[in-house]
Amino acid sequence: SLLGSAFQTASGAVVTPETALRVTAVYGCVALIAGAISTLPFSVYERTKNTRKKVDHDYWWMLNEQANIDMTASTAFEYLISSKMFYGDAFALLIRPSRFTNRVTGWKPLHPSRVMPFRDTDYTLYYRVTDWDGGVTVYDAADIIHVPSLGFDGLRSPSPITYAAREAIGTSMAAEDYSAKFFAQGSTHEIALKTASKMTAEQTETLRASYMAKYSGSKNSRMPLLLSGGM
């Protein structure tokens, strides 16, 4: 499974859903898409023989106002879509008054790392969910909302972040890290100390330390170039 995998990119950066979220372009795109979808209205329709019609239904409230006791519908949908974009699959549990009824009173998004789809010997689909306290519960497919992505194999989907876009994101992460270090060190060499004599490594370090101790006005000042041996 590609879920939660960490990929080493050609740039050297390791891309995971967590590290990708620190890239401003990724954060902005996911926030824009998930935020826009979370504000869309959801209507309930009744199928007739040849058409459908909009109806008033109890499910409208949980789809548009309050998904569960802890989440508004907007917050839950934003979580659901963000999970799909970062991990490839989004999951939510349908909340029922009891295990013996088809009635649904709410729905709760699940973190993709806590859900493992699997098939029984008769090819029936189930979902193994790890609870926050470490307990494990197996749910029938009728109790789980599963939103897959491109590349879905019947159980899981590859993450768009760590699979399809990892090199582009890794390059962005490496460039940002390089730029931050470059500017933190003063961005340019302003001073070069040169001598015709060849200095030993110990002499070089001693000179550099004494120079920085006396002349550096900031801890971020770039150290001078030390050019010995007529270089």
Side-chain angles (χ1 to χ4, degrees), residues 42 44 57-68 71-74 76-77 93-95 103-108 145:
F42 286 82
V44 181
H57 197 281
D58 291 342
Y59 288 174
W60 183 93
W61 182 262
M62 72 176 184
L63 293 174
N64 291 273
E65 295 294 339
Q66 194 75 26
N68 57 70
M71 287 184 173
T72 63
S74 177
F77 273 115
L93 174 66
L94 295 178
I95 302 171
R103 189 165 68 92
V104 177
T105 57
W107 60 283
K108 177 174 65 175
I145 299 172

Side-chain angles (χ1 to χ4, degrees), residues 29-229:
C29 290
V30 173
L32 180 63
I33 296 172
I37 292 177
S38 70
T39 61
L40 295 175
F42 286 82
S43 300
V44 181
Y45 292 86
E46 180 182 12
R47 283 197 299 261
T48 60
K49 185 175 181 180
N50 297 315
T51 185
R52 66 176 185 173
K53 64 178 181 179
K54 187 182 295 187
V55 296
D56 292 329
H57 197 281
D58 291 342
Y59 288 174
W60 183 93
W61 182 262
M62 72 176 184
L63 293 174
N64 291 273
E65 295 294 339
Q66 194 75 26
N68 57 70
I69 193 172
D70 297 318
M71 287 184 173
T72 63
S74 177
T75 300
F77 273 115
E78 188 173 46
Y79 189 113
L80 197 71
I81 300 303
S82 298
S83 296
K84 169 182 164 64
M85 299 183 71
F86 279 115
Y87 293 89
D89 293 283
F91 302 96
L93 174 66
L94 295 178
I95 302 171
R96 305 183 189 276
S98 76
R99 58 184 298 183
F100 304 107
T101 178
N102 288 328
R103 189 165 68 92
V104 177
T105 57
W107 60 283
K108 177 174 65 175
L110 302 171
H111 195 284
S113 65
R114 296 171 48 215
V115 183
M116 183 58 63
F118 69 97
R119 293 189 183 276
D120 204 350
T121 53
D122 61 355
Y123 210 64
T124 302
L125 179 62
Y126 295 97
Y127 291 85
R128 183 182 293 110
V129 177
T130 302
D131 302 322
W132 291 113
D133 60 2
V136 176
T137 306
V138 175
Y139 292 97
D140 188 85
D143 293 318
I144 298 291
I145 299 172
H146 184 179
V147 185
S149 296
L150 185 66
F152 180 59
D153 63 3
L155 290 177
R156 298 308 294 255
S157 307
S159 164
I161 296 297
T162 61
Y163 182 70
R166 66 174 180 263
E167 290 298 339
I169 294 172
T171 300
S172 178
M173 292 168 59
E176 188 174 83
D177 183 60
Y178 178 85
S179 297
K181 291 179 179 178
F182 183 77
F183 287 108
Q185 295 175 355
S187 76
T188 58
H189 286 288
E190 298 177 344
I191 300 294
L193 305 179
K194 62 181 182 177
T195 175
S197 303
K198 184 173 179 58
M199 299 175 62
T200 65
E202 183 179 357
Q203 289 173 324
T204 298
E205 291 304 318
T206 300
L207 176 58
R208 179 181 287 113
S210 63
Y211 180 93
M212 294 299 291
K214 187 172 184 180
Y215 295 108
S216 63
S218 167
K219 65 179 182 179
N220 290 327
S221 296
R222 183 180 287 274
M223 288 186 286
L225 292 174
L226 300 181
L227 309 176
S228 67

Side-chain angles (χ1 to χ4, degrees), residues 14-38:
V14 177
V15 177
T16 68
E18 290 73 25
T19 58
L21 187 59
R22 301 190 189 105
V23 178
T24 54
V26 175
Y27 187 98
C29 290
V30 173
L32 180 63
I33 296 172
I37 292 177
S38 70

